[in-house]
Amino acid sequence: MRASHLKSRFRHELPYHLFLIPGIILAVLFCYIPMMGIVMAFQNFSVFKGWLAGPWVGMDNFKYIISMPRFGQVMYNTIYISILKIVFSLIVPIVVALLLNEMRGQKLKRVLQTAMYLPYFLSWVVLGGIILDVLSLEGVINSLIQAFGGEPVGFLSSNRLFPGVLVTTEVWKNFGFNTIIYMAALTSINPDLYEAAMIDGASRWRQIWHVTLPGIRPTIILLATLSLGNVLNAGFEQVFMLLNPLVVDSGDILDTLVYRLAFNQAQYSVATAVGLFKSLVSGVLISVSYYMAYKFADYRIF
């Protein structure tokens, strides 16, 4: 009886499982087969000898990257920029979602939401050109500063200002999309809680503090803990588009170091070793963040 039930269930669910085949094929082709290139991190790869024909060097490539004079600065830049992005990418969408939730004009609310989402759908190639035009010494902002008698500011040429530019533009691009998550969480709050707070004489600020924020707290904790896994992902596309020799000391990150080692200096084995080092650390951080998400927000995939 049980065998016939399982057989009937398998026939019923088979079409749904077949939909997984294209995704599995793509994952194997583009995610798992390229992982075999990890062996390059342990050999002195040569394009003339081919893959696996280069001499094995063990951990020498890892020792080399740790001894690189710029590696400490690159690690600092990566972690510093990533943490700033995580913090502000968490705070800004929450504040915007709370402000939108308090708005009563539905038409204006929809217009603002649409305007906020637009940057998310643009690539960093397009946004990079826009940002260069706006923040360059001859850009719109510096033209306004000079029109009021000020001196032009080197937003893209100052090591002091460049990390702030990266964080601000990252938040600007993504805060509209991240706001959707918090807006969805706000809709799950029971309206009776607001009515009870109003009967108790709570102001709007008190309602936000005692009803709204506790209502979306699990979502905040979940996204905050999961974002810890991206501490070493400072955003290659954005930094690559905006980085220039004047700000390389404050903007050079692990991803741009890998790109430079592989494509500018042809040190493929060293670049692979840096990428593998980043992947291993990121894997540990993702595991820790997943455990914290399960512990504090009761979130689990399996």
Side-chain angles (χ1 to χ4, degrees):
M1 183 68 181
R2 182 175 176 80
S4 62
H5 174 70
L6 291 176
K7 190 175 180 180
S8 174
R9 182 180 174 183
F10 175 75
R11 281 201 302 267
H12 176 71
E13 296 180 351
L14 180 61
Y16 302 107
H17 292 297
L18 292 178
F19 282 114
L20 295 174
I21 293 177
I24 293 173
I25 293 175
L26 290 175
V28 171
L29 287 177
F30 296 105
C31 296
Y32 288 94
I33 292 180
M35 287 177 67
M36 291 188 290
I38 290 175
V39 296
M40 291 170 58
F42 304 97
Q43 63 178 185
N44 186 14
F45 175 76
S46 171
V47 293
F48 301 104
K49 295 180 179 178
W51 192 48
L52 293 179
W56 294 88
V57 296
M59 302 296 289
D60 287 354
N61 288 324
F62 294 93
K63 295 177 182 176
Y64 174 75
I65 62 173
I66 293 175
S67 65
M68 291 172 63
R70 290 193 55 81
F71 186 71
Q73 182 66 41
V74 169
M75 277 295 294
Y76 171 80
N77 293 340
T78 305
I79 296 173
Y80 178 64
I81 293 171
S82 297
I83 290 177
L84 286 179
K85 284 184 176 180
I86 290 171
V87 171
F88 286 97
S89 295
L90 185 69
I91 295 175
V92 174
I94 294 173
V95 174
V96 174
L98 293 177
L99 292 174
L100 288 175
N101 190 52
E102 295 300 315
M103 288 186 67
R104 293 295 174 262
Q106 293 300 317
K107 290 185 179 178
L108 178 59
K109 189 175 178 179
R110 292 194 188 98
V111 171
L112 289 176
Q113 286 178 309
T114 304
M116 289 187 302
Y117 301 153
L118 283 179
Y120 179 80
F121 296 102
L122 299 177
S123 70
W124 274 115
V125 176
V126 176
L127 291 178
I130 296 173
I131 293 168
L132 290 174
D133 287 337
V134 172
L135 298 180
S136 65
L137 292 176
E138 297 81 18
V140 177
I141 293 181
N142 273 316
S143 297
L144 290 173
I145 293 175
Q146 293 180 74
F148 286 97
E151 294 292 329
V153 180
F155 295 105
L156 301 174
S157 58
S158 169
N159 281 308
R160 182 174 58 86
L161 298 177
F162 190 68
V165 172
L166 293 177
V167 175
T168 304
T169 52
E170 171 78 14
V171 172
W172 169 63
K173 184 179 189 298
N174 295 317
F175 85 97
F177 183 81
N178 295 335
T179 301
I180 298 175
I181 300 172
Y182 295 106
M183 292 293 291
L186 288 170
T187 59
S188 65
I189 300 176
N190 189 349
D192 293 342
L193 296 176
Y194 289 104
E195 294 181 7
M198 292 173 64
I199 293 173
D200 290 339
S203 63
R204 292 301 301 176
W205 171 249
R206 287 289 182 185
Q207 292 177 38
I208 292 173
W209 187 257
H210 293 289
V211 178
T212 307
L213 285 177
I216 62 174
R217 184 170 56 191
T219 304
I220 296 173
I221 295 174
L222 174 63
L223 295 180
T225 52
L226 291 180
S227 64
L228 294 178
N230 294 320
V231 168
L232 292 186
N233 290 321
F236 169 73
E237 293 179 355
Q238 178 202 24
V239 177
F240 183 72
M241 290 302 301
L242 301 178
L243 189 65
N244 61 74
L246 296 175
V247 291
V248 71
D249 288 338
S250 62
D252 196 16
I253 59 175
L254 282 176
D255 290 326
T256 52
L257 176 64
V258 171
Y259 178 87
R260 197 165 56 252
L261 288 170
F263 296 103
N264 292 353
Q265 303 175 16
Q267 299 186 58
Y268 302 109
S269 293
V270 179
T272 305
V274 176
L276 180 58
F277 169 78
K278 178 192 167 189
S279 299
L280 291 175
V281 176
S282 296
V284 173
L285 292 174
I286 290 173
S287 301
V288 172
S289 63
Y290 181 73
Y291 170 76
M292 293 175 66
Y294 170 65
K295 185 175 181 179
F296 296 108
D298 197 24
Y299 170 81
R300 61 189 305 175
I301 299 175
F302 305 105

